[in-house]
Amino acid sequence: MTYARTRISKAVIPAAGLGTRFLPATKATPKEMLPVVDKPAIQYVVEEAVAANLSDVLMITGRNKRPLEDHFDRNYELESALTAKGDEARLARVQESSDLATMHYVRQGDPRGLGHAVLCAEPHVGDQPFAVLLGDDLIDPRDPLLGRMIEVQERHGGSVVALMEVDPSQIHLYGCAAIVPTAEEDVVRVTDLVEKPAPGEAPSAFAVIGRYVLDPSVFAVLSKTQPGRGGEIQLTDALRELAQEDGPDGPVHGVIFTGRRYDTGDRGDYLRAIVRLACERDDLGPDFRSWLRTYVREEMQD
Ligand code: UTP
């Protein structure tokens, strides 16, 4: 007898990392709360989950969890001050984040790596496939990715990772996938994964980026996964095991992403995200672009 698969409805957002690349800004604030123009990075990520019909969001938080929880909660003081002023537009902006999704939180305790953060989601997720969105990885909303990954998972079962082709000189910064093509141009079968490969040891130039749709069997693998690179429990190591075994837990597929993506935990990418998104905004864009043009022209003259 076959059972209809339940539609994927849960998103897990790990946001408990130390954010050391962004110190001192991240000393008392999670890096996911850093603003990208006028919204914290994490709000873009929750909006992306909701856009893919995942309205049950579990955030994995760490020692500075308060700002994250507060951001997705009501702020009655601010709301009544804006109501009293009749400032409807800003009131709507304040209420946007608290009306987005059903938010849940679990604390990771010690940040023992992304794999460990995902393992903390097991009691909430249970035995259904689920999505993972890294809280510092921003995918441009005009280039939807997660919906396609969910659709691929629902057809093939198993797990699905997001892949992006990077310059081979940069692949040592990422998890890297060995892949074989499928009949669909943007879908590949992942046969092996290596976390931050040493120069010359990368099986391809396809980097794993921060979106996953995972089979719940990943939890059993993670609970046995030993600390790997950097002394951290790596999600890549657990997925490697699932990719290599041809077992009942299904294959690992990759969806190749060619859209716009920013790693907001990296200072350079963070700045690029702000400039690009600000330029494209209807309200800020015209003035900002004109200032930027003048600034760049002056810089070129030096
Ligand atoms: P990163 O490796 O980018 O996070 O993890 P980090 O350790 O905070 O960054 P740096 O290198 O020190 O600046 C990717 C994602 O996984 C989460 C992070 O919050 C980020 O969203 N993460 C990482 C956890 O939730 N827990 C961990 O133990 C590690």
Side-chain angles (χ1 to χ4, degrees):
M1 187 162 144
T2 53
Y3 294 91
R5 287 206 188 104
T6 319
R7 221 196 159 278
I8 296 172
S9 63
K10 289 183 182 169
V12 173
I13 304 185
L18 292 177
T20 55
R21 285 170 293 167
F22 242 113
L23 284 168
T26 48
K27 185 177 173 190
T29 306
K31 67 175 163 182
E32 291 80 4
M33 282 303 294
L34 297 179
V36 178
V37 189
D38 49 9
K39 250 190 323 196
I42 192 79
Q43 187 175 332
Y44 291 88
V45 177
V46 174
E47 285 170 353
E48 183 191 337
V50 172
N53 291 322
L54 309 177
S55 54
D56 178 311
V57 175
L58 174 71
M59 207 169 281
I60 316 293
T61 63
R63 73 216 181 288
N64 295 322
K65 69 168 185 165
R66 267 298 291 276
L68 286 164
E69 290 196 9
D70 287 349
H71 185 70
F72 293 99
D73 202 353
R74 301 287 298 269
N75 183 329
Y76 292 105
E77 197 183 354
L78 202 48
E79 286 178 39
S80 60
L82 292 167
T83 307
K85 276 197 208 169
D87 193 340
E88 296 293 328
R90 291 203 173 97
L91 180 64
R93 300 280 284 158
V94 165
Q95 289 171 336
E96 228 167 51
S97 53
S98 47
D99 292 342
L100 260 179
T102 308
M103 302 296 299
H104 307 269
Y105 301 89
V106 64
R107 203 150 179 162
Q108 189 183 5
D110 286 332
R112 291 166 56 200
L114 177 58
H116 179 247
V118 171
L119 190 53
C120 295
E122 184 176 15
H124 181 81
V125 166
D127 61 359
Q128 295 299 322
F130 62 104
V132 174
L133 297 85
L134 298 197
D136 59 353
D137 214 333
L138 212 149
I139 302 287
D140 194 298
R142 292 161 299 178
D143 301 323
L145 164 66
L146 197 56
R148 172 72 171 147
M149 295 174 71
I150 290 172
E151 188 247 310
V152 169
Q153 198 282 338
E154 285 175 344
R155 247 181 318 118
H156 293 281
S159 298
V160 179
V161 297
L163 298 174
M164 195 165 179
E165 193 165 13
V166 299
D167 190 288
S169 66
Q170 299 297 302
I171 193 73
H172 67 281
L173 301 170
Y174 297 88
C176 174
I179 56 173
V180 289
T182 70
E184 290 169 282
E185 208 180 326
D186 64 331
V187 181
V188 292
R189 176 83 187 260
V190 175
T191 54
D192 198 7
L193 287 158
V194 193
E195 182 62 24
K196 300 194 171 74
E201 285 176 18
S204 76
F206 284 93
V208 179
I209 59 169
R211 298 292 178 270
Y212 308 79
V213 180
L214 300 176
D215 184 85
S217 58
V218 75
F219 293 129
V221 180
L222 277 170
S223 64
K224 289 184 279 143
T225 303
Q226 295 301 311
R229 231 193 138 79
E232 296 192 335
I233 298 175
Q234 298 286 356
L235 181 58
T236 308
D237 291 342
L239 287 172
R240 176 177 207 218
E241 203 172 314
L242 291 177
Q244 285 180 336
E245 67 184 30
D246 220 0
D249 300 326
V252 176
H253 281 91
V255 168
I256 296 173
F257 179 65
T258 51
R260 289 157 282 193
R261 172 242 174 203
Y262 310 96
D263 173 4
T264 57
D266 171 82
R267 289 171 300 173
D269 236 18
Y270 175 76
L271 293 173
R272 284 186 277 276
I274 292 178
V275 171
R276 199 159 183 173
L277 294 177
C279 281
E280 291 165 0
R281 282 266 295 256
D282 290 340
D283 52 349
L284 298 166
D287 278 355
F288 185 64
R289 275 200 305 270
S290 133
W291 172 84
L292 192 61
R293 249 185 239 114
T294 312
Y295 177 71
V296 170
R297 224 180 1 249
E298 284 168 6
E299 280 292 296
M300 303 283 273
Q301 281 163 3
D302 287 346

